[in-house]
Amino acid sequence: MEKTLYTLIVHSENIAGLLNQITAVFTRRQINIESLNVSASSIPGVHKYTITAWTDSETIEKVVKQIERKIDVLQAHYFTDDEIYQHEIALYKLSTPEFQSEPMASKTVRRHSARIVEVNPTFCIVEKNGMSEEITALYEELRTYNCVLQFVRSGRVAITTSCFERVNEYLDMRAEKYRRQKEEGHE
Amino acid sequence: MSKERITGAEAMMRSLEHQGVKTLFGYPGGSIMPTFDALYGHRDRLNHILVRHEQGAAHAAQGFARVSGEVGVCLVTSGPGATNTITGVADAMIDSTPIVVIAGQTPVSMLGTDAFQEVDLVGITQPITKWSYQIRRAEDVAWAVARAFYIAKSGRPGPVVLDFTKNAQTEMVDFEPMTLDFIRSYDPDPTIDEEKVKEAAELIDKAERPFVLVGQGVELGNAQEELRTFLEKADIPCGCTLLGLSAIPTAHPLNKGMLGMHGNLAPNVKTNECDVLIAVGMRFDDRVTGNLATYAKQAKIIHLDIDPSEFNKNVKVDIPVLGDCKKTLTKLIGSIKDNKHTEWIDSFAEHAQTEYARVIEKEVYPKEGPLNMGEVVRAVSEASNNEAILVTDVGQNQMMSARYFKYSKNRSIVTSGGLGTMGFGVPAAIGATFGRPDRTVCVFMGDGGLQMNLQELGTIMEQKAPVKMILMNNNYLGNVRQWQAMFFGRRYSFTPMLNPDYMKIAEAYEIPSRRVMKREELQDAIQEMLTTDGPFLLEACVIEEGNVMPMTPPGGTVNEMLLEC
Ligand SMILES: Cc1ncc(C[n+]2csc(CCOP(=O)(O)OP(=O)(O)O)c2C)c(N)n1
Ligand SMILES: [Mg+2]
């Protein structure tokens, strides 16, 4: 089946060991995680995982359901690139002498809308935000100037383009359901 | 309620009592000693069964849980004590059995230092538990126990591990018991989608050849009555999975037998002829489906399950109906029409007759030759009025006992389905006698399996647990030998086995016993077993190279079962 790059957004309680449980779902199905980003979400006590992986639509659905099944996972959803706004950040450490001896280099940096954030006699640091391909493109170009000393990129961060924060809705729904259950129980 | 200042270990005992626990299975050791010390003071309220190996504790807890519907509890020490329970935990996970394993652990100050008997239990058990948690402070005991029991028994049940650090056992806490019935990230009773129920009802009403697959979910959800009403109202025949066998009596006219690799012919064949397949609380295991590419392709599939991750996992579902099957079945009963499918139901008979003529008659009513397993099983079942609880080990003995035992009451089969754990039988049967002391418990096993947890005969001796053990001795690891005969050119690689004298073993454990070689002695020996108070070991020396038939070879198609080999 055809493979697509999916982005999973998972919200969970902030509990040690959960990352392990989530990645284990991928391992069991022998799916490589392309990138993984974990951080606090906008809701206190709730963590957000942004995971990308190449797989097919059937498998990703099963993976998401198995992640959602973990007791402390609030919600898991998967998206294709057209359903999200996503970015990565990359840092490029360049040799200052090499960089300066190549007249095109600083133009390249500007053309890619990257910024030079640090310069000293030995090295300079370039920072770029953007889509994966843009980050790769800048890297490829800088490499032709033989000036790259180090290169690092973050995992993808993403937000959905729909206007709801689904986790908030989910939490409200859970609280409401519990309240109703209690009421019915007392009748 | 006012709080009392007690140790974490004492808090554990009170929390267990607060959960209604009366029985637990365990084995002491260094890092759980404070808790065993607290247990000493609770001996009159908490009946602790000392097993002979922690694997036995886990399987006993499973057996207890499966027959009683309550949570089975184990109490073991850290390190090897904890790892010895792992097989039982994995077994409980795959068979959705509610157990709570409480294991000692190194004090928090020593965690991560490779301290004596330290093992990363939470790390090891995360993939094979519904929840596993390390209790690091005495004040977390009440909460962790409340959460453990809630998770273990709610929704789709499963095992929970509590890793109880030694300092949390000895430190003091202002204790107040806790009850927990809400976890915001976990919804064990999903809201039923009325639309799906309606769609399912419409499809069922229109169906000409509907067929129901009954899984353990029906028993776990206590929906046996609802299932029966549903089947009768819509007049739909059913087949049962191994774990679902006692959800509807064997004798019910709509029950067409067991599904799966060694199941009955009719329900397997008809799976590939029905037009609507309604799966209730089952998970389309590969031992049930055979080759997925040829499984029920002609049918529309309705799947009732409480676990959404089961939908479309193995088989593409047309109408998933999420929810507790007691509720979804009730709603379906209200939405479907009364119906009749006489011709369709009658069409099962032909296959049942074929199976009887070519397999069952020879197996159960042989005229000569050595004893058969099926014959022994059927004789025990009938001698106990088909009312006993069947516990099995794994292998040919398991398939034969599942096939030829008859079920008339709910929660009457305890067997290791998903994991296929040899050695499960004896300890699970011990647990079952504590879970349902009012019922007869018969465990069937092979010579291989009995020896995998033979030490639990010591537990039986000490507890006088009334386990009726039927050893079907074929001097082979029979199940593997059968596959070698069928698929590996009869190369019997390490399946013949030299056996000890089981009568002497029984004698050493002071368990009354009898060996049967001849057909004429069988009935008498079974009577002796059933009328003897307490445990009994009946060794039936059965045909050495017997085969379990019919069979869908692995990866084969369900309607192409082999009847002989
Ligand atoms: C713990 C474990 N080890 C190995 C197996 C593989 N296995 C399945 S059935 C079987 C043979 C069982 O022999 P026995 O207990 O004598 O039962 P029989 O099939 O002869 O009735 C074996 C080795 C297993 N299921 N479980
Ligand atoms: Mg054997």
Side-chain angles (χ1 to χ4, degrees):
Chain A
M1 245 205 260
E2 212 186 308
K3 291 198 173 179
T4 312
L5 183 67
Y6 287 99
T7 302
L8 275 77
I9 299 183
V10 180
H11 284 92
S12 81
E13 301 292 2
N14 177 12
I15 281 176
L18 210 63
L19 175 60
N20 231 332
Q21 294 187 55
I22 291 172
T23 55
V25 174
F26 290 86
T27 320
R28 259 182 94 178
R29 290 187 175 270
Q30 306 206 19
I31 304 168
N32 273 340
I33 291 177
E34 281 291 318
S35 77
L36 167 67
N37 186 286
V38 190
S39 63
S41 78
S42 56
I43 304 157
V46 173
H47 260 54
K48 177 169 177 167
Y49 301 72
T50 311
I51 306 163
T52 62
W54 285 94
T55 184
D56 58 66
S57 60
E58 266 183 32
T59 311
I60 197 71
E61 204 181 313
K62 292 177 194 177
V63 164
V64 163
K65 280 195 208 157
Q66 272 167 349
I67 292 175
E68 203 157 47
R69 195 170 172 233
K70 307 284 170 202
I71 299 286
D72 293 304
V73 168
L74 291 157
Q75 265 194 324
H77 293 287
Y78 67 94
F79 303 92
T80 49
D81 281 358
D82 53 349
E83 297 166 312
I84 50 172
Y85 179 82
Q86 44 100 357
H87 250 190
E88 276 180 44
I89 180 168
L91 299 174
Y92 310 72
K93 180 168 156 186
L94 312 174
S95 144
T96 304
E98 302 285 343
F99 186 68
Q100 283 172 345
S101 69
E102 172 53 66
M104 293 301 287
S106 68
K107 282 209 184 93
T108 300
V109 170
R110 255 176 285 131
R111 184 157 41 77
H112 281 267
S113 324
R115 310 191 289 141
I116 298 171
V117 290
E118 157 93 42
V119 186
N120 64 39
T122 28
F123 65 83
C124 48
I125 296 174
V126 171
E127 176 195 298
K128 169 154 181 64
N129 293 312
M131 311 283 276
S132 296
E133 311 81 71
E134 298 169 351
I135 283 164
T136 312
L138 175 57
Y139 174 71
E140 293 297 342
E141 237 176 279
L142 289 173
R143 219 171 50 146
T144 60
Y145 308 139
N146 277 328
C147 63
V148 183
L149 300 172
Q150 279 179 33
F151 167 57
V152 66
R153 62 202 298 168
S154 71
R156 172 183 284 198
V157 290
I159 42 181
T160 62
T161 48
S162 79
C163 42
F164 308 104
E165 176 62 298
R166 298 199 199 190
V167 201
N168 279 329
E169 270 180 59
Y170 172 83
L171 291 174
D172 290 347
M173 187 205 68
R174 291 289 298 136
E176 171 62 18
K177 187 172 170 186
Y178 183 60
R179 197 182 54 71
R180 260 187 293 130
Q181 252 174 30
K182 283 271 126 166
E183 274 176 15
E184 281 165 24
H186 284 296
E187 266 166 27
Chain B
M1 200 197 268
S2 70
K3 294 185 178 181
E4 205 181 326
R5 199 153 176 81
I6 56 176
T7 65
E10 177 64 23
M12 175 59 77
M13 293 301 107
R14 297 201 193 175
S15 298
L16 292 177
E17 282 169 8
H18 182 67
Q19 290 296 328
V21 174
K22 295 194 178 61
T23 311
L24 57 163
F25 304 90
Y27 208 90
S31 1
I32 196 71
M33 280 184 69
T35 301
F36 268 84
D37 187 61
L39 177 61
Y40 197 67
H42 287 253
R43 294 192 315 285
D44 54 337
R45 282 149 289 167
L46 288 170
N47 184 18
H48 174 264
I49 314 302
L50 178 71
V51 294
R52 296 298 184 267
H53 184 296
E54 292 87 350
Q55 185 183 355
H59 293 326
Q62 288 184 274
F64 176 90
R66 292 269 283 268
V67 299
S68 67
E70 290 163 31
V71 177
V73 183
C74 300
L75 188 63
V76 299
T77 193
S78 67
T83 54
N84 275 347
T85 67
I86 298 290
T87 305
V89 172
D91 197 291
M93 184 66 175
I94 200 161
D95 281 352
S96 307
T97 310
I99 64 169
V100 172
V101 175
I102 302 154
Q105 179 60 285
T106 312
V108 167
S109 59
M110 290 167 82
L111 284 171
T113 64
D114 298 327
F116 180 63
Q117 295 191 331
E118 180 190 359
V119 63
D120 177 7
L121 187 63
V122 170
I124 292 173
T125 55
Q126 253 171 3
I128 51 166
T129 48
K130 224 176 141 180
W131 188 52
S132 64
Y133 184 76
Q134 187 170 66
I135 305 177
R136 301 193 190 96
R137 309 179 306 175
E139 58 244 58
D140 293 339
V141 170
W143 171 83
V145 172
R147 204 174 196 255
F149 276 74
Y150 175 62
I151 290 172
K153 68 185 171 201
S154 61
R156 178 177 180 172
V160 171
V161 166
L162 292 177
D163 194 29
F164 196 12
T165 60
K166 197 161 181 181
N167 59 290
Q169 298 174 47
T170 51
E171 282 160 16
M172 303 299 282
V173 57
D174 293 322
F175 177 77
E176 190 176 22
M178 242 181 98
T179 308
L180 192 148
D181 63 354
F182 180 72
I183 297 172
R184 65 178 185 172
S185 57
Y186 165 65
D187 188 357
D189 188 14
T191 310
I192 295 162
D193 182 345
E194 304 284 345
E195 203 45 48
K196 293 285 176 216
V197 174
K198 206 171 131 228
E199 280 175 43
E202 278 166 14
L203 191 57
I204 292 167
D205 282 343
K206 278 194 301 201
E208 288 174 4
R209 299 182 310 281
F211 185 48
V212 169
L213 309 177
V214 177
Q216 191 195 200
V218 173
E219 300 250 44
L220 295 173
N222 281 319
Q224 300 92 346
E225 274 311 308
E226 288 76 8
L227 172 77
R228 191 185 171 130
T229 311
F230 170 72
L231 294 175
E232 287 171 1
K233 183 170 185 191
D235 197 34
I236 308 181
C238 71
C240 301
T241 66
L242 177 63
L243 269 56
L245 277 172
S246 63
I248 175 162
T250 313
H252 193 287
L254 290 171
N255 184 355
K256 300 301 175 193
M258 180 161 103
L259 299 162
M261 180 177 270
H262 289 297
N264 293 113
L265 184 62
N268 276 305
V269 169
K270 293 297 173 175
T271 299
N272 272 7
E273 287 178 17
C274 64
D275 60 352
V276 175
L277 193 64
I278 306 136
V280 188
M282 59 83 74
R283 59 187 178 85
F284 293 104
D285 178 65
D286 55 271
R287 284 295 188 267
V288 163
T289 63
N291 185 358
L292 283 171
T294 58
Y295 182 79
K297 286 293 166 197
Q298 79 295 341
K300 289 258 187 246
I301 298 180
I302 299 171
H303 191 176
L304 277 60
D305 209 289
I306 198 163
D307 179 356
S309 73
E310 287 301 341
F311 297 141
N312 297 321
K313 189 183 79 179
N314 295 335
V315 169
K316 263 246 158 290
V317 174
D318 296 288
I319 307 178
V321 185
L322 181 65
D324 177 347
C325 66
K326 194 176 180 76
K327 297 182 182 170
T328 51
L329 281 171
T330 304
K331 284 193 188 286
L332 269 181
I333 294 166
S335 317
I336 53 169
K337 296 208 271 284
D338 282 30
N339 220 328
K340 275 282 162 225
H341 297 103
T342 313
E343 202 177 317
W344 162 241
I345 292 168
D346 289 347
S347 72
F348 282 67
E350 172 200 340
H351 302 285
Q353 278 150 19
T354 306
E355 185 183 348
Y356 186 84
R358 291 177 56 187
V359 179
I360 299 173
E361 191 174 19
K362 288 187 271 198
E363 181 64 36
V364 181
Y365 308 105
K367 304 221 166 43
E368 52 190 25
L371 283 170
N372 284 340
M373 286 192 186
E375 157 180 40
V376 175
V377 171
R378 182 58 61 80
V380 171
S381 179
E382 285 176 351
S384 61
N385 205 15
N386 301 321
E387 284 178 354
I389 289 172
L390 168 71
V391 183
T392 86
D393 209 84
V394 166
Q396 294 186 312
N397 60 90
Q398 174 184 37
M399 291 298 116
M400 287 295 198
S401 42
R403 280 177 60 80
Y404 295 111
F405 210 77
K406 290 186 178 175
Y407 314 88
S408 60
K409 295 185 169 175
N410 297 335
R411 290 187 178 270
S412 289
I413 179 163
V414 181
T415 186
S416 169
L419 205 64
T421 306
M422 278 176 72
F424 175 84
V426 172
I430 295 173
T433 62
F434 286 95
R436 287 303 299 266
D438 54 323
R439 297 185 61 186
T440 303
V441 175
C442 296
V443 52
F444 289 85
M445 58 218 161
D447 40 325
L450 170 58
Q451 293 184 86
M452 274 210 186
N453 271 317
L454 187 70
Q455 77 288 345
E456 296 308 328
L457 293 180
T459 311
I460 292 178
M461 170 178 70
E462 182 166 295
Q463 299 292 333
K464 304 191 170 50
V467 182
K468 307 300 180 191
M469 291 173 277
I470 301 99
L471 165 63
M472 302 201 283
N473 189 351
N474 54 9
N475 289 319
Y476 274 109
L477 299 174
N479 200 73
V480 179
R481 186 211 54 75
Q482 176 175 347
W483 283 47
Q484 289 169 338
M486 293 175 72
F487 312 120
F488 292 88
R490 286 196 51 133
R491 286 156 58 88
Y492 288 173
S493 179
F494 301 96
T495 46
M497 205 172 38
L498 180 64
N499 271 306
D501 183 339
Y502 290 103
M503 297 298 103
K504 285 194 184 147
I505 288 176
E507 195 190 335
Y509 284 104
E510 294 172 8
I511 296 172
S513 66
R514 181 158 164 186
R515 179 184 287 136
V516 177
M517 324 270 290
K518 293 206 197 80
R519 184 153 293 117
E520 303 77 62
E521 296 166 40
L522 184 62
Q523 290 297 344
D524 189 58
I526 291 172
Q527 280 313 322
E528 185 184 343
M529 172 178 79
L530 292 176
T531 51
T532 301
D533 258 353
F536 195 94
L537 175 67
L538 175 67
E539 178 184 7
C541 300
V542 297
I543 178 169
E544 295 208 328
E545 297 189 42
N547 291 319
V548 187
M549 285 288 139
M551 178 178 194
T552 307
T557 295
V558 284
N559 59 340
E560 293 172 3
M561 290 187 98
L562 305 176
L563 287 161
E564 40 273 305
C565 60

